[in-house]
Amino acid sequence: MTTIALAGNPNSGKTTMFNDITGSSQYVGNWPGVTVEKKEGRLKGNKDIVIQDLPGIYSLSPYSPEEAVARNYLFNERPDLVIDIVDASNIERNLYLTSQLLEADLPMAVALNMIDAAKKRNIKIDANRLGELLGCPVIETSAIKSQGTREAVARAIELASSGDRAKPPVFSDGLERVLREISDLIRDAVGDGNLRWYAIQVFERDAEAAKTLKLSADIAGEIEKRIAAFEAEADDDSESIVTNERYLFVEKLVSETVVFDTNEKLTPSDKIDRIVTNRILALPIFLAVMFLVYFLSISTVGTLLTDWVNDVLFGEWVPGVVKSALVAIGCADWLQRLILDGIVAGVGAVLGFVPQMMVLFLCLAFLEDCGYMARIAFIMDRIFRRFGLSGKSFIPILIGTGCGVPGIMASRTIESDADRRMTVITTTFIPCGAKLPIIALISGALFSNSALIGYSAYVAGIAAIIVSGIVLKKTKLFAGEASPFVMELPAYHLPTVKGVLVHMWDRAKAFIKKAGTIILLATIGVWFLSSFDWHLRMTATEDSILADIGRAIAPVFSPLGWGEWKAAVAAITGLIAKENVVGTFGILYGYEEVAETGVEYWGQLQAAFTKLAGYSLLIFNLLCAPCFAAIGAVRREMMSAKWTWFAIGYQTALAYAASLMIYQFGSLFSGGGFTAGTAVACVLLALLLFLLFKRPYRAKIEARAGDPRRIDAV
Ligand code: BGO
């Protein structure tokens, strides 16, 4: 068994190469963080070769969690060889990682990927000469066109059997001298490990290397003396010294092997970006694009289909056919009710929104595949940064528009613990696919399918993220500089129909699968609890177990305008999966109606909720704690029960406060008079303004012996 690891910068085409050579269909995206965990596959045509797709990294210095994943894999599990995927159209930046892989003395081959894009830009690379300078095979590839990829693997395999090693970069004389001295001091501790690699790490004061080597205090002190002396001589810190040397090495490689087109003109992408990412126009364009997305999915195209599915398919046909079939076979009354009033009404209510969801996913897939979504992250970075937040936090949010779980996982690309936690807490504020049925239900039943409702839900999600960011950043728990955000903006391209449909289906299939599993089970549970009393006798909904439970919790939601027990129950079942809010409404408000007369239940909703109460209900369900699957993801990413509870508590408190303010101020301005609820809303607003405008928690960098980077509170 031979293991080949694919390593490279984010967006260099690793996953595309992985898919091409293994025949898998891992998600290819144009933003960093798509591969946050390594993925394994077998080479097409030779199952003895294992291919590992590592997360994209800019360096082997583990600043971010995915860099740590990649580095740990390379050093602890030591693949038989590494294919370093270099984006040929961005060769200079990509070769920095190559220089570190050379230092690590891993048997490797270089795939000069995206050679098609480099050629288009008239960048000429002498791959043979580059191979000579690096001491390893360099193969031109275009993973997207499946060109050169098999050769890259074949050459890498040849290399593994030959045992040849690449040439580590040679640094300037002064640095080489100190590295030799350090090598002599750590030789025993390294044993048969890679002496040069450790010497460089120790020189850079890499904490991981120090931990592994367990140097005695004497030796550590001796090494520190030499590093400090060299730093004084070079007037720079050790890490920067090595970084500069690596860049010098890369510069030399590039000057000898690459010729750039000095007359390169603005590409069509650059021209589009002048408008789309323009400082003034970028935000209005983004807001207009998202309005169009919700207009198409909630108000126009999606609605036509959803109306038919809700009114005709699940309103008449399915209940009609199922009922006739059940009557024909003489099915017991209770089972008929379970199937019609429970499963058909509940699951049908959720599935009714599939067309709208498909249109939403189609629009998002188009925006992503043409390259616009990557620009949104870039635009949001500029906005977020003003509030001390990073655009890096926006990538999980973009991913979270499909499903919160991968969104939460994508937060791993954020180096700073504080920023990462904050992103995990706020990512699910953005409406995910599962929340779309709630948006579509409220907008359809109470607001005549207005696109503004769906759009406002999206804007409310972003507002909640920004407000939370500002407020949390000012606290001791989350204070600190925003993580740096580096991102390659891919050239725009016309998405393929297949690509868009595959991305749309990727998102939609999870939803349909859920409808057939977790939502089905939940609707059975809700039907049971809403059909039986505490003595397990079948009864009217109003006398059921669920009604009693609902009435016990409903008063909590009265100040939000929907103290109705059915709505309270729906908010709770939404924790299992957000679609359950709609499923529960389908059962509780559609009870008997669907089965008996085929009348859809929106009329009942109109009677039960004012527009204001409905909107408050929508906002609460959008912002409150996410579904169990997402809570599980929060728990995994936080690696702490305390932080998970903090996230749930914060999200629910924010949702409650936002809904309360919406309902109470809305009631006040629509002539409802000043009540105790309005007073509470005023206090909450004052608190919010105070938190938004209070002075940030200040931290200062205090130099301390042995720990110069320690941050202490003032
Ligand atoms: C998008 N040539 C060209 N031209 N592009 C390539 C090649 C190649 O050889 N190989 C990959 N790409 P990942 P990481 C995209 O997805 O494999 C493209 O992070 C887009 N997507 O198609 O994910 C590949 O695993 C919308 O581009 O890289 C992908 O290393 C607009 O490089 C990107 C433009 O590939 C990253 C590009 C929705």
Side-chain angles (χ1 to χ4, degrees), residues 11-16 28-30 113-114 116 142-144 368-369:
N11 272 339
S12 55
K14 289 175 307 305
T15 308
T16 312
V28 173
N30 55 359
N113 194 37
M114 304 212 192
D116 55 313
S142 172
I144 207 162
E368 191 184 327
D369 284 12

Side-chain angles (χ1 to χ4, degrees), residues 482-505:
S483 302
F485 179 53
V486 186
M487 184 175 170
E488 204 58 48
L489 288 183
Y492 288 100
H493 68 186
L494 204 61
T496 59
V497 175
K498 185 180 162 212
V500 170
L501 291 180
V502 166
H503 273 172
M504 178 188 83
W505 180 242

